[in-house]
């Protein structure tokens, strides 16, 4: 009888330990699930901020909205905050008053969002000392943005500047012509 009696506490210990392990595992899964849910909500909020930037601020020319979308710590070319963001954009809008951005793709992870866009407009005013050409341009770009508390804190933007200048007839479609002409001039 004695062996059966000592096995009972051992059985209870095993069952209790297994129950605790299962409960702890379930709690860990709940925590992981909550973290994943919060991360997904952050990504969705950040993507919504970026969409608002392009559609409501840039396309609708609601530049007051930039104060709600751009953090004070954002650093532009020379300025900080919303002014730092708008500084390089405003000359474009002035020279291409019908300019519109179309978001082609957006990918978010954590506090970062990457946006690929196409911008279209008509060159009707001087831009960087280039007189208006009346040419319609369509240009692509990609931006890598970091957000904090729903506001943009940094951005790195790359655009097709060569294609842009070619569409304005500043550079030929085949830029090798420039090189060939330079070689001929040297001879």
């Amino acid at each position: 009888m004695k062996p059966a009696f000592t096995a009972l506490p051992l059985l209870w210990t095993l069952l209790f330990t297994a129950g605790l392990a299962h409960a702890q595992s379930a709690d860990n899964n709940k925590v992981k699930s909550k973290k994943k849910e919060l991360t997904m909500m952050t990504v969705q909020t950040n993507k919504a901020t970026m969409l608002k930037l392009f559609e409501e601020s840039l396309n609708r020319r609601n530049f007051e909205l930039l104060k709600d979308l751009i953090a004070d710590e954002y650093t532009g070319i020379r300025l900080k905050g919303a002014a730092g963001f708008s500084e390089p954009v405003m000359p474009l809008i002035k020279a291409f008053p019908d300019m519109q951005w179309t978001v082609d793709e957006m990918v978010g992870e954590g506090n970062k969002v990457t946006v690929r866009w196409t911008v279209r407009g008509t060159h009707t005013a001087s831009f960087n000392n280039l007189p208006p050409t009346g040419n319609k341009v369509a240009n692509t770009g990609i931006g890598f943005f970091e957000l904090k508390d729903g506001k943009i804190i940094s951005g790195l933007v790359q655009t097709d500047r060569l294609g842009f200048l070619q569409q304005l007839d500043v550079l030929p479609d085949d830029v090798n012509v420039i090189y060939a002409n330079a070689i001929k001039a040297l001879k």
Side-chain angles (χ1 to χ4, degrees), residues 37-48 110-111 113 147:
E37 188 177 312
L38 285 173
T39 300
M40 292 298 289
M41 286 173 44
T42 299
V43 169
Q44 293 307 318
T45 300
N46 290 344
K47 288 169 81 174
N111 62 344
V113 178
L147 294 91

Side-chain angles (χ1 to χ4, degrees), residues 22-39:
H22 177 71
Q24 188 175 15
S25 175
D27 285 346
N28 285 343
N29 287 340
K30 284 180 185 176
V31 169
K32 286 179 186 176
S33 179
K34 275 281 194 213
K35 282 183 181 179
K36 186 175 181 179
E37 188 177 312
L38 285 173
T39 300

Side-chain angles (χ1 to χ4, degrees), residues 123 125-133 164-165 168 170:
H123 186 209
S126 180
F127 178 70
N128 288 349
N129 298 319
L130 298 173
T133 62
F164 181 75
L165 293 172
L168 292 177
V170 173

Side-chain angles (χ1 to χ4, degrees), residues 43-55:
V43 169
Q44 293 307 318
T45 300
N46 290 344
K47 288 169 81 174
T49 297
M50 296 309 304
L51 205 52
K52 201 173 197 179
L53 172 74
F54 284 93
E55 292 181 355

Side-chain angles (χ1 to χ4, degrees), residues 6-157:
T6 56
L8 188 60
L10 181 60
L11 180 61
W12 278 107
T13 303
L14 287 174
L15 289 173
F16 182 72
T17 304
L20 278 178
H22 177 71
Q24 188 175 15
S25 175
D27 285 346
N28 285 343
N29 287 340
K30 284 180 185 176
V31 169
K32 286 179 186 176
S33 179
K34 275 281 194 213
K35 282 183 181 179
K36 186 175 181 179
E37 188 177 312
L38 285 173
T39 300
M40 292 298 289
M41 286 173 44
T42 299
V43 169
Q44 293 307 318
T45 300
N46 290 344
K47 288 169 81 174
T49 297
M50 296 309 304
L51 205 52
K52 201 173 197 179
L53 172 74
F54 284 93
E55 292 181 355
E56 294 182 32
S57 183
L58 296 176
N59 286 343
R60 292 190 181 128
R61 309 296 192 255
N62 182 359
F63 301 116
E64 280 297 311
L65 188 57
L66 288 176
K67 293 175 186 170
D68 297 332
L69 303 174
I70 309 295
D72 291 340
E73 66 190 273
Y74 179 92
T75 303
I77 297 167
R78 294 179 300 162
L79 303 172
K80 288 184 127 341
F85 181 87
S86 65
E87 182 182 24
V89 175
M90 296 313 276
L92 268 172
I93 291 174
K94 184 178 178 188
F96 300 81
D98 62 343
M99 183 168 271
Q100 293 289 296
W101 283 260
T102 303
V103 173
D104 299 319
E105 185 174 9
M106 190 179 316
V107 178
E109 184 175 330
N111 62 344
K112 296 183 181 182
V113 178
T114 300
V115 183
R116 186 176 56 83
W117 65 82
T118 302
V119 64
R120 291 175 177 80
T122 309
H123 186 209
T124 60
S126 180
F127 178 70
N128 288 349
N129 298 319
L130 298 173
T133 62
N135 291 7
K136 292 188 180 298
V137 298
N139 195 263
T140 58
I142 190 166
F144 304 91
F145 299 94
E146 185 173 357
L147 294 91
K148 182 172 139 186
D149 299 325
K151 289 189 173 191
I152 301 164
I153 61 170
S154 69
L156 172 64
V157 172

